[in-house]
Amino acid sequence: MSRKITIKDVAKHAGVGIGTVSRAINGNPNISTSTKEKILESIKILGYTPNNVAQSMRSQRYKNIAFFADISNPIFAQIAKESQIELDKHGYTLSLCNIGEKDIGNKISSFLEGRKSDGIILSIPKEDDFELNRSLANIKVPIVTINRDVPILPAGVVTDYYFSVNEAIDYLLSLGHRNIALIGGDKKIRPTREGISAYKDAFLSNGVKLNNNYIKNGKLSSESGEALFNELLPDIQKGELTAILCLNNQMFYGVLRGMRKAKLKYPDDISLITFEDSELMELLDPPLTVIHRPIDEMGKSIVNTLINYIDNPETYGKLEPVVIPTNFIIRESCKPVSIKK
Amino acid sequence: MSRKITIKDVAKHAGVGIGTVSRAINGNPNISTSTKEKILESIKILGYTPNNVAQSMRSQRYKNIAFFADISNPIFAQIAKESQIELDKHGYTLSLCNIGEKDIGNKISSFLEGRKSDGIILSIPKEDDFELNRSLANIKVPIVTINRDVPILPAGVVTDYYFSVNEAIDYLLSLGHRNIALIGGDKKIRPTREGISAYKDAFLSNGVKLNNNYIKNGKLSSESGEALFNELLPDIQKGELTAILCLNNQMFYGVLRGMRKAKLKYPDDISLITFEDSELMELLDPPLTVIHRPIDEMGKSIVNTLINYIDNPETYGKLEPVVIPTNFIIRESCKPVSIKK
DNA sequence: AACAAATATGGAAACGTTTCCAAATTTAAA
DNA sequence: TTTAAATTTGGAAACGTTTCCATATTTGTT
């Protein structure tokens, strides 16, 4: 295998200095058009490609982003994919890092100490983890969070939970539902906070009295979803509770499982709406009415926000969150309430 | 922010030369226990961590693996996750790269030219893509493929399609099914090839005559799955075809969609088995009988195979494929055939 | 105690870039 | 033309390691 072509080879071939070659590669303006062309020609002839490791070493820029999330949740896998596609356009690569529930801060710090990334895309389970926030505060590269407001961090990219939930509840109310359960994660995370607020506002603006007991909070897991469903079960069986809106797809699986075990069917026994669409949501029988978010747009926004922070560090922390709108897709998991007491 | 601690600082603090510090870090045997301890102590005091970029630059080893697959398929996202977890244990990072259908070889080459990886995990749609194979042949780092036999590449990691399909067909035959359709991808890819061979052998060993028309091949997409299902539809409606085994989860979605449109229900109108388990497969109504493969084990095997190739280049191409066993999970999507003509 | 062999150590060179500064060249102004 | 200013260029230094070789030290043998 022949020796790797370096910048020196290019310089010699083009009859210029290495600094000039570097300027040609990096779009530096201090170079005449003619020499630049000559160098680009030599590069093509020799088949030269810059060694990124050497570039990073010297320039302290790495053209790499680290993606920290629990990618066993398919939604994050999709976001990772879309982010990677967008990053690729900007010449960045994406390092995938899985995180669990614990010790996230240390994992990120130790990753950054060794490996070099210019920025981080981060999805964390909680917003108010004191330890975590302290570690995050010490990280010196920009971080863009997904659907979380972390006090110590600048605004990230968020789904429009408020609008989505408002719209969905409006829809259920218009179908005649009066008791609607909201199942979500911890009250302290943005999606739940926004969701609850939209839920309440929807009842208020429709002049319907709401029952706070139907706001259920738990962990973002199917087990927790199933447990919360079971708390609601008696009221469903009594016919008092007629609809459920679930803010998280993992929890929704738990709701489905709970229904299965209780031998309940939607939409006859209860109307169902969940957050997050997927091919299977349409293939469930009956197909599910869902709140759909455009994952590709999320990926693009995340990447562009992050790259903006990298290129313009002075804007870091000064921007408003990017809010991604959703689509409400009505299928067949909700039906009108016929009789009202 | 204070200047980064380098190996020189450590050397000065410990009163040794930089080469000695390097030896201490890298587990080089040519160092006395006492100096090594002294250096490790200094490292701890100063909070030194080696700069990986500089290490890579000099050593030409990158401690990075590139993962090329279509990660919008959740199964690859999961494999990516499991691989990353395993790689992490070995001090490697994972770069995620999405690939489409076209120009895969060039994408990989150009990624490797700039970015530096020590190895590649690869999932490609086809095995016999001449252009692609030619590009792959020129890649000088080890490649481990997932479920494909690429002639030019050494053995990768494969699911035990033969055993799985054999077991599943046996099961369907034991339920009295005599006409069973097999839906899979191109005949030239390993899973389909093995699947068909296992399918035929199962009929043979059970002394049942098989109908070659029920072996259906298409693309690994839900659209293709739906199209193939529609080809089978007349025979299903005539009651001649009573079971389908689907080798690919994407195609299976198409089958489900086709059934939905034809207003057919499983297991009453047809028995159904698919490859690939997921939380939702259990939550479908009725829950699906599936062939489950242990993704964590696949990830581990992939990584260990690849790292072995990196550490022992002389074994590259000399090893047998690693075959990952599967579990057959019987749920409720198949029912016995009552009447036989 | 003397010497050879084995082990341990220091530090220059190299990895392939970018950055910076000084110098050369071109352009513009007088 | 001359001179000043602007532009372009070359290449040394630096980024932080590992590797290699020469040298120093320790260990073992007689």
Side-chain angles (χ1 to χ4, degrees), chain A residues 149-166:
Chain A
D149 291 326
V150 180
I152 211 84
L153 295 179
V157 171
V158 296
T159 309
D160 197 344
Y161 276 89
Y162 185 90
F163 179 84
S164 316
V165 171
N166 213 280

Side-chain angles (χ1 to χ4, degrees), chain B residues 242-253:
Chain B
T242 57
I244 296 178
L245 168 55
C246 196
L247 294 177
N248 175 271
N249 57 336
Q250 308 281 326
M251 298 181 94
F252 177 68
Y253 295 157

Side-chain angles (χ1 to χ4, degrees), chain A residues 44 157 196 201 235:
Chain A
K44 195 177 287 177
V157 171
I196 291 177
D201 288 355
D235 283 11

Side-chain angles (χ1 to χ4, degrees), chain A residues 11 22 61 81 127 136 147 150-151 171 212 252 288 302 336:
Chain A
S22 176
R61 267 172 284 113
K81 175 196 166 180
E127 292 180 354
L136 291 179
N147 281 330
V150 180
Y171 169 74
N212 274 309
F252 176 69
L288 262 151
I302 290 166

Side-chain angles (χ1 to χ4, degrees), chain A residues 259-273:
Chain A
M259 287 186 53
R260 165 76 45 89
K261 289 181 186 168
K263 302 212 188 302
L264 258 44
K265 301 270 183 197
Y266 65 90
D268 291 329
D269 301 316
I270 190 142
S271 288
L272 237 39
I273 298 179

Side-chain angles (χ1 to χ4, degrees), chain A residues 46 128 280:
Chain A
L46 297 175
D128 62 341
L280 268 175

